[in-house]
């Protein structure tokens, strides 16, 4: 094998300029492939951060809808026959999760669950002069929301921690605050659906980047929300869960639905379209990468064909003096592979540097206050795939010419002189 | 009888392009160990064709070929390559050296392929062969910097590297001037005389042929003498 390599090396060096060009071709396409894929994965990860990090994997709540089992069905007298019931109304009196504390206890013992936070979601009016603005008030556990859903990342002014420390405090969506003409430290008037008025102190401003949200969302502590509604300390309307294995979310949601008799929504159903977007971005990167590699593969194919054409005599003499067809094939495959390896390694390094470069470019967007530069992924998998692709494409490019070389008939060449 | 190195039995060869032509018919002969044989005949009578068959490079023929008592029929290509490597040394009309390598490395290549000895030993053997042919001083030159006569001597050194059973040459002086031809002929005679090397040489040079052990004369694809 050492002999094969030394012959391959000698042939390579005899045409080092063309070889270099071919290797640069591979290096260039691997560079582009790695940095493009890194950039696209970075974007995907950012989008994940944007949607998935903020979204509970499973949400338990009480949906207001007509009971699936109507009372008449429970009566033994009316078991038989088919029931036509008109004008069914939802009872709707109860938005709170029934037996919420027991459910929370059960969830805490479930080791598939990694995080729990409860919420109270309610509607209210903010009064600004004579105008009333409808908004959603979320009673939240601030610390848990931050730990699980990065709540504090979206605070653009004030201090979210004050929510827990100061009673009757509120965090307003940025657009809502602008509409109400209030700043951090000032007070807003809130009227509940039941008609009670409360003054609340604004401690922070929240901005999600999605204007429709920023216009209607506000946050208080769980305790404040319970007080606004006149409910006891065990009243909650939503339980948000993070789980270990996100792919198990739909199954677990169905299980909780049965077990706790609550509505359960999983992240997959919520983000099906979002996944499609990620998939298409990856697909585009792979397509571009493979196209580039195909082009560089033709470069290798050309140089090998040229080499074989030029070195007919060499091949003939090698065969005449005892090298078998497979030895000749190995020689040319090693030439192709060394171009591939040299180009591939250079490409991977250049791609990494290029990614570092992209990572330095400033990128600001209101929807993602935590991101300052273009997102880039350095996932080792990308580099692994890049390496595999460079080897595979050079092997494929070298395969046909090598086979051709191995089949050269020395008699034809020697006679042809 | 035990010292037969090469034997051809009833070898026929056809070319099909453009029409079917029989270029060799019923070739029968054998070469003993240490014999110095020349093949002569008119141009186009099939000498080269026969040599390519005897050297196992051409496998498209009828009949049987034995090298060192081993039948060559139906051997797979890698095994034939091994036979060429180990048992046959070939010298062509054109010298066919690898211009990427030094003279020494060119001579070493078939030895490295055979890998019977470690590389240092092969290098020593190669150097001995070059010195024997009086071109030891060229060992580290690139092959393409040599004159035609020098190149042909390097080719002979290469043919000798694995101590082959037989050396075949197809008009080895066909491309050389008078003086260089003499040198090459002298080398062959020396190999036959001193080393008892078996030789099968195709040549047009009657004068040279006359001074060998045996002449095989060919005409129209047949051996006539
Ligand atoms: N590939 C081929 N296809 C068809 N005919 C061929 C082919 N190769 C050789 N021939 C014919 O076979 C015959 C023998 O050719 P060969 O080369 O063996 O002659 P030769 O005796 O070596 O001649 P020379 O002394 O000129 O070298 C010639 O008539 C030649 O035209
Ligand atoms: Mg000839």
């Amino acid at each position: 094998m050492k002999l094969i390599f030394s012959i391959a090396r000698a042939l390579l060096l005899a045409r080092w300029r063309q070889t270099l060009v071919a290797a640069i071709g591979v290096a260039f396409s691997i560079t582009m492939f790695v940095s493009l894929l890194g950039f696209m994965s970075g974007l995907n990860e950012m989008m994940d951060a944007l949607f998935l990090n903020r979204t509970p994997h499973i949400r338990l709540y009480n949906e207001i809808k007509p009971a699936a089992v109507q009372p008449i069905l429970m009566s033994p007298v009316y078991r038989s026959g088919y029931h036509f019931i008109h004008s069914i109304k939802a009872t709707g009196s109860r938005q709170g999760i029934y037996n919420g504390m027991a459910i929370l206890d059960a969830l805490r013992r479930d080791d598939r669950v990694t995080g729990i936070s409860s919420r109270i979601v309610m509607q209210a009016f903010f009064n600004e002069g004579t105008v009333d603005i409808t908004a959603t008030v979320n009673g939240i556990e601030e610390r848990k929301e931050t730990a699980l859903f990065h709540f504090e990342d979206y605070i653009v002014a004030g201090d979210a921690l004050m929510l827990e420390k100061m009673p009757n405090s509120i965090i307003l969506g940025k657009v809502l605050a602008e509409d109400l003409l209030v700043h951090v430290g000032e007070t807003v008037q809130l009227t509940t659906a039941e008609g009670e008025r409360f003054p609340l102190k604004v401690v922070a401003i929240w901005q999600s980047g999605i204007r429709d949200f920023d216009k209607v969302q506000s946050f208080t502590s769980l305790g404040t929300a319970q007080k606004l509604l006149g409910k006891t300390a065990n009243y909650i309307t939503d339980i948000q869960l993070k789980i270990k294995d996100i792919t198990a979310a739909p199954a677990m949601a169905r299980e909780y639905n049965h077990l706790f008799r609550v509505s359960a929504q999983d992240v997959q159903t919520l983000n099906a379209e979002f996944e499609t977007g990620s998939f298409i971005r990856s697909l585009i990167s792979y397509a571009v990468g493979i196209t580039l590699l195909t082009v560089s593969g033709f470069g290798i194919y050309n140089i090998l064909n040229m080499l074989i054409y030029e070195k007919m005599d060499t091949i003939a003499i090698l065969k005449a003096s005892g090298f078998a067809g497979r030895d000749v094939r190995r020689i040319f495959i090693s030439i192709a592979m060394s171009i591939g390896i040299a180009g591939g390694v250079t490409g991977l390094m250049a791609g990494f540097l290029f990614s570092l470069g992209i990572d330095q470019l400033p990128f600001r967007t209101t929807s993602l206050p935590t991101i300052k530069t273009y997102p880039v992924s350095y996932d080792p998998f990308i580099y692994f795939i890049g390496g595999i692709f460079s080897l595979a494409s050079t092997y494929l490019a070298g395969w046909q010419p090598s086979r051709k070389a191995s089949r050269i008939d020395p008699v034809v060449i020697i006679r042809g002189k | 009888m035990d010292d037969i190195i090469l034997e051809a039995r009833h070898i026929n060869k056809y070319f099909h392009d453009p029409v079917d032509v029989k270029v060799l018919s019923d070739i029968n002969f054998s070469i003993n160990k240490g014999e110095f044989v020349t093949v002569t005949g008119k141009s186009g009578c099939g000498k080269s064709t026969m040599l390519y068959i005897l050297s196992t490079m051409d496998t498209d023929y009828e009949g049987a070929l034995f090298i060192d008592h081993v039948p060559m029929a139906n051997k797979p290509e890698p095994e034939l390559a091994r036979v060429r490597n180990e048992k046959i040394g070939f010298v062509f009309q054109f010298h066919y050296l690898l211009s990427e390598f030094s003279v020494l490395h060119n001579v070493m290549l078939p030895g490295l392929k055979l890998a019977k000895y470690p590389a240092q030993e092969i290098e020593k053997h190669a150097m001995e062969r070059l010195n024997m042919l009086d071109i030891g001083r060229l060992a580290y030159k690139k092959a393409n910097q040599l004159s035609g006569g020098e190149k042909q001597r390097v080719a002979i050194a290469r043919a000798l590297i694995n101590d082959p059973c037989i050396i075949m040459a197809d008009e080895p002086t066909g491309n050389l001037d008078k003086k260089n031809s003499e040198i090459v002929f002298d080398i062959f005679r020396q190999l036959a005389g001193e080393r008892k090397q078996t030789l099968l040489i195709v040549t047009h040079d009657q004068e040279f042929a006359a001074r060998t052990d045996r002449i095989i004369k060919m005409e129209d694809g047949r051996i006539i003498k």
Side-chain angles (χ1 to χ4, degrees), chain B residues 14-21 60:
Chain B
Y14 301 86
F15 280 119
H16 311 287
D17 185 34
V19 284
D20 280 16
V21 199
D60 180 22

Side-chain angles (χ1 to χ4, degrees), chain A residues 415, chain B residues 15 17 23 42-49 171 204:
Chain A
R415 235 185 223 295
Chain B
F15 280 119
D17 185 34
V23 278
K42 282 207 198 77
S43 181
C45 69
K47 305 181 296 291
S48 299
T49 308
E171 301 184 35
H204 284 292

Side-chain angles (χ1 to χ4, degrees), chain A residues 2-4 6-8 10-11 14 311 313-327 406 409-411 413-417, chain B residues 15 48-49 52 57-58 77-82 84-85 88 90 92 94-101 105 109-110 112-114 119 158 162:
Chain A
K2 223 177 95 192
L3 178 61
I4 301 277
S6 83
I7 297 174
L11 291 179
K311 301 295 173 191
D313 289 0
T314 301
I315 296 166
I317 195 65
L318 285 175
K319 285 191 138 186
S321 63
F323 286 78
R326 58 166 183 242
D327 299 320
S406 79
D409 183 352
V411 174
I413 306 299
I414 293 166
R415 235 185 223 295
K417 266 276 175 173
Chain B
F15 280 119
S48 299
T49 308
Y52 297 139
M57 282 193 280
D58 187 352
E77 188 260 356
E79 274 184 46
L80 290 178
R82 167 125 188 137
R84 287 199 292 279
N85 188 217
I88 302 174
F90 213 101
F92 307 95
F94 299 88
H95 353 79
Y96 284 119
L97 299 181
L98 309 192
S99 49
E100 296 81 17
F101 290 110
H105 207 144
L109 266 183
L112 293 171
K113 172 61 192 163
L114 187 61
R158 180 178 60 194
N162 286 336

Side-chain angles (χ1 to χ4, degrees), chain A residues 25-26 28-38 40 279-297 385 389 393:
Chain A
V26 177
F28 177 75
S29 35
I30 292 292
T31 306
M32 289 320 281
F33 180 74
V34 164
S35 40
L36 191 70
L37 212 61
M40 288 297 186
F279 173 73
I280 291 198
R281 269 190 294 277
S282 304
L283 196 69
I284 291 173
S285 334
Y286 277 96
V288 171
I290 288 171
T291 312
L292 288 169
L293 279 171
T294 312
V295 173
S296 72
I385 285 285
F389 275 9
S393 71

Side-chain angles (χ1 to χ4, degrees), chain A residues 5 12 19 22-24 26-27 30 300 333-349 386-395:
Chain A
F5 285 140
L12 256 181
T19 314
I24 288 174
V26 177
I30 292 292
I300 294 178
I333 281 283
S334 342
I335 292 178
M337 293 314 274
S338 37
I339 296 176
I341 291 170
V345 169
T346 323
L348 290 180
M349 289 193 296
I388 294 285
F389 275 9
S390 68
L391 294 186
S393 71
T394 47
Y395 184 83

Side-chain angles (χ1 to χ4, degrees), chain B residues 70-209:
Chain B
V70 182
M72 292 295 121
N74 302 324
K75 266 189 185 290
E77 188 260 356
E79 274 184 46
L80 290 178
R82 167 125 188 137
V83 169
R84 287 199 292 279
N85 188 217
E86 196 178 357
K87 300 192 169 162
I88 302 174
F90 213 101
V91 181
F92 307 95
Q93 180 175 357
F94 299 88
H95 353 79
Y96 284 119
L97 299 181
L98 309 192
S99 49
E100 296 81 17
F101 290 110
S102 68
V103 165
L104 184 64
H105 207 144
N106 262 285
V107 176
M108 287 169 68
L109 266 183
L112 293 171
K113 172 61 192 163
L114 187 61
K116 195 165 145 194
Y117 302 102
Q120 278 113 328
E121 198 125 335
I122 294 169
E123 185 173 339
K124 214 181 82 198
H125 292 173
M127 213 55 215
E128 280 167 19
R129 308 280 187 288
L130 287 172
N131 284 327
M132 186 178 81
L133 304 186
D134 208 18
I135 42 173
R137 74 209 135 78
L138 302 175
Y140 298 102
K141 279 202 160 187
K142 280 270 175 206
N144 53 3
Q145 297 169 334
L146 270 55
S147 78
E150 289 166 342
K151 280 182 186 168
Q152 199 59 303
R153 276 186 273 170
V154 176
I156 295 171
R158 180 178 60 194
L160 286 168
I161 189 72
N162 286 336
D163 295 319
C165 303
I166 183 165
I167 287 185
M168 302 182 189
D170 190 359
E171 301 184 35
T173 60
N175 215 23
L176 301 179
D177 59 20
K178 188 82 193 139
K179 185 171 147 270
N180 275 304
S181 300
E182 276 308 318
I183 294 175
V184 169
F185 281 145
D186 283 342
I187 288 170
F188 283 132
R189 272 192 288 267
Q190 190 190 339
L191 290 176
E194 290 170 17
R195 295 171 65 106
K196 294 277 165 254
Q197 174 70 54
T198 318
L199 292 160
L200 177 63
I201 315 280
V202 171
T203 181
H204 284 292
D205 193 321
Q206 298 299 331
E207 197 187 325
F208 165 69

